Amino acid sequence: MRYVIVGGSIAGLACAGRIRELDSTSDVLILSEEARPYSKMALPSLLAGEMKSDNIWLDVPADVQFRGLENAVRIEPGKHIVTTLKDQEIAYDRLLIASGAGASLPDFEGSDCSSIFTIRNMSDILGIQKKMKTAKKHKVIISGAGLVSMEMGDAFLKQGFKPIYLVSSQKILSQILDEGGSDFLKQYLPAKGAEFHFGQSIKSVHESDVGIVVETVSGNNFEGDFLVVGKGAVPNTGYLAASGIALDDGVLVDEYLKTSHEDLFAAGDVCQAFDMMHNEKRVNALWPVAIEQGRHAAMNMTCYHDPYQGSISRNVVTIFGTVVFAAGLSRSTDLESYHRQSSNRYAGIMLKDGRLAGAVFINVRIDPGCYLLAMQSRTEIAHLKDVLLSGSLSYVHLHPFLTASRIF
Ligand SMILES: Cc1cc2nc3c(=O)[nH]c(=O)nc-3n(C[C@H](O)[C@H](O)[C@H](O)COP(=O)(O)OP(=O)(O)OC[C@H]3O[C@@H](n4cnc5c(N)ncnc54)[C@H](O)[C@@H]3O)c2cc1C
């Protein structure tokens, strides 16, 4: 049996490691566009100087063959063959698509200039670090206020560069926060050293010896050393176009993480699988989800018929000294929701049919595992509304409602 994995990052490595645990004799081969695996999640810490580059590398599991700088350019499911950029045809018995996502860069005048960066790979960080060495203004323009943009802004500030955010909407972290949480950050974060300008979409970028000028559609100009564009990620599916594999926002999979074709599975940021809270298939581009799915796909690739329950979107991030937790249907506006706020804290919970469906906590110390378990187990919990909002939900509260059959 030969297992081939396309994509040598965390989903691919998690799958390879689990296959090795379950099957010690078959061949496991990883094809990777990048030379060596590393933690993309740690890139902001690397930029901030909080992590040494030696610590960012990930290990390839023992007895797994890793071929770096070897892209898959085509998969032919009927023939069970994957073709690489070096025009080599590799036969597989089971294959995992774990090619992740790439950064999206909107088209605007000057978008190809050398002072514009996206954030996805190590090469992006190396390019930015080089630029920072010759910077004159010590100001970075950041387009977008999503998770990665916020983490990067925090890293720039730690390196003595002022982050200036241009946000097309009126919200911070609009993909994961409810209105109240986003409004709270709008009030709270400017005092921490970042500058925010809302309703600003980029029209053009002009580069000179002393930096860049970003002009927005509403006619404002912003000056900085360079521009970082954080406008989300797009699953890497281009090489699958002629394969016939069913695609939507990502590679569509069933409850066994199997694609529309036999012996072909998917996991991680490229994969559109069931989301437990949204009750639909979604791409949940998150590190722990990539691990879960990679390991789970391995079970089904090696013949254990084990359905995947689905993921729950969840983020815990510290930005500008502010701890943000958001999970489940945290942006929903049509659920029963409750909020609590003080000058430096915010809590919001969302209930559906008396069950916890979403939560947002900013600077509130919580046990994230308990909140996730409450969502996952669909425990009727409306009577614990005050406990939920205070952030003090514990396993003691959940224990009476949970039985093994309801969780596992
Ligand atoms: C800056 C940053 C910060 C983040 N912070 C967090 C966080 O705080 N919390 C969190 O949960 N998640 C975070 N994430 C998201 C997390 O890193 C991803 O969910 C995770 O890396 C997904 O893993 P993956 O293996 O599916 O894909 P990826 O890590 O995207 O890796 C896919 C790999 O496949 C390769 N590849 C692509 N096409 C091909 C091909 N045709 N052939 C061969 N190889 C190919 C790519 O080059 C890449 O090496 C962050 C991401 C970034 C970029």
Side-chain angles (χ1 to χ4, degrees):
M1 178 80 87
R2 174 187 269 170
Y3 300 97
V4 175
I5 295 169
V6 176
S9 184
I10 191 62
L13 295 176
C15 178
R18 188 72 179 127
I19 290 175
R20 261 293 153 267
E21 287 165 15
L22 300 168
D23 174 351
S24 57
T25 55
S26 298
D27 287 346
V28 184
L29 167 65
I30 299 179
L31 299 175
S32 169
E33 183 181 25
E34 295 184 277
R36 200 176 159 188
Y38 58 89
S39 168
K40 292 185 193 291
M41 194 173 70
L43 292 175
S45 304
L46 186 67
L47 185 78
E50 294 170 337
M51 180 182 248
K52 289 194 176 138
S53 54
D54 286 355
N55 297 334
I56 203 167
W57 305 112
L58 299 172
D59 290 335
V60 177
D63 297 325
V64 168
Q65 200 192 343
F66 186 92
R67 283 203 212 159
L69 306 177
E70 189 136 0
N71 287 36
V73 293
R74 191 167 55 249
I75 294 177
E76 293 170 86
K79 296 183 183 167
H80 279 57
I81 282 178
V82 52
T83 305
T84 71
L85 196 57
K86 295 170 186 163
D87 220 16
Q88 199 189 350
E89 291 192 341
I90 299 169
Y92 65 83
D93 295 295
R94 308 254 156 80
L95 183 141
L96 181 80
I97 298 168
S99 43
S104 93
L105 179 62
D107 199 19
F108 48 77
E109 190 190 327
S111 61
D112 56 349
C113 84
S114 65
S115 298
I116 300 181
F117 299 91
T118 52
I119 306 295
R120 188 70 206 179
N121 298 324
M122 181 79 95
S123 54
D124 301 322
I125 301 298
L126 296 177
I128 288 173
Q129 284 175 328
K130 196 170 162 202
K131 199 82 184 171
M132 285 165 82
K133 285 189 183 140
T134 56
K136 301 195 169 57
K137 299 177 192 295
H138 285 74
K139 286 181 186 172
V140 184
I141 315 279
I142 301 178
S143 166
L147 195 74
V148 170
S149 297
M150 297 304 285
E151 287 187 293
M152 290 302 293
D154 185 34
F156 285 125
L157 194 63
K158 285 172 178 153
Q159 289 293 337
F161 280 67
K162 185 175 185 70
I164 301 172
Y165 286 93
L166 306 184
V167 189
S168 52
S169 72
Q170 295 297 324
K171 293 182 173 167
I172 293 177
L173 293 177
S174 64
Q175 295 302 310
I176 60 169
L177 293 188
D178 59 339
E179 189 112 15
S182 183
D183 285 348
F184 173 85
L185 287 185
K186 274 171 90 170
Q187 305 281 328
Y188 189 72
L189 287 186
K192 304 283 175 185
E195 196 176 300
F196 292 90
H197 301 271
F198 296 95
Q200 302 294 327
S201 302
I202 296 179
K203 184 179 172 202
S204 65
V205 175
H206 298 281
E207 194 176 25
S208 74
D209 289 348
V210 290
I212 52 160
V213 178
V214 178
E215 185 191 2
T216 62
V217 174
S218 48
N220 297 306
N221 286 341
F222 297 90
E223 291 185 15
D225 295 301
F226 53 92
L227 169 70
V228 169
V229 178
K231 287 299 206 182
V234 187
N236 291 320
T237 56
Y239 68 105
L240 302 174
S243 67
I245 296 166
L247 304 173
D248 185 25
D249 292 335
V251 176
L252 282 166
V253 293
D254 66 11
E255 66 268 44
Y256 298 99
L257 296 169
K258 186 163 77 65
T259 69
S260 53
H261 287 64
E262 279 309 308
D263 302 323
L264 270 175
F265 297 76
D269 282 13
V270 76
C271 171
Q272 189 174 347
F274 186 66
D275 177 305
M276 291 173 75
M277 303 318 294
H278 287 89
N279 203 24
E280 63 180 20
K281 290 179 186 176
R282 291 168 72 91
V283 176
N284 267 339
L286 293 164
W287 184 265
V289 173
I291 295 175
E292 268 167 29
Q293 291 179 349
R295 286 182 65 82
H296 220 96
M299 300 280 285
N300 293 309
M301 290 167 79
T302 49
C303 295
Y304 292 83
H305 218 48
D306 188 25
Y308 174 62
Q309 282 190 347
S311 62
I312 297 180
S313 149
R314 72 273 203 177
N315 288 279
V316 191
V317 65
T318 303
I319 40 170
F320 305 108
T322 308
V323 184
V324 178
F325 169 86
L329 304 177
S330 49
R331 298 163 58 204
S332 187
T333 50
D334 54 3
L335 295 178
E336 184 185 341
S337 59
Y338 300 92
H339 313 271
R340 195 176 279 176
Q341 186 171 340
S342 68
S343 61
N344 59 354
R345 286 191 191 141
Y346 175 85
I349 56 163
M350 298 84 201
L351 302 179
K352 188 177 181 184
D353 304 328
R355 296 169 170 90
L356 185 65
V360 172
F361 290 103
I362 303 175
N363 285 338
V364 179
R365 189 190 283 258
I366 63 158
D367 183 335
C370 280
Y371 282 80
L372 289 172
L373 184 57
M375 289 184 206
Q376 187 186 358
S377 60
R378 299 190 165 89
T379 304
E380 285 181 28
I381 207 163
H383 61 288
L384 290 176
K385 191 181 77 195
D386 287 334
V387 171
L388 285 166
L389 258 183
S390 67
S392 52
L393 184 74
S394 72
Y395 290 103
V396 175
H397 294 110
L398 292 177
H399 179 256
F401 310 105
L402 299 176
T403 64
S405 62
R406 288 179 64 186
I407 311 172
F408 300 108

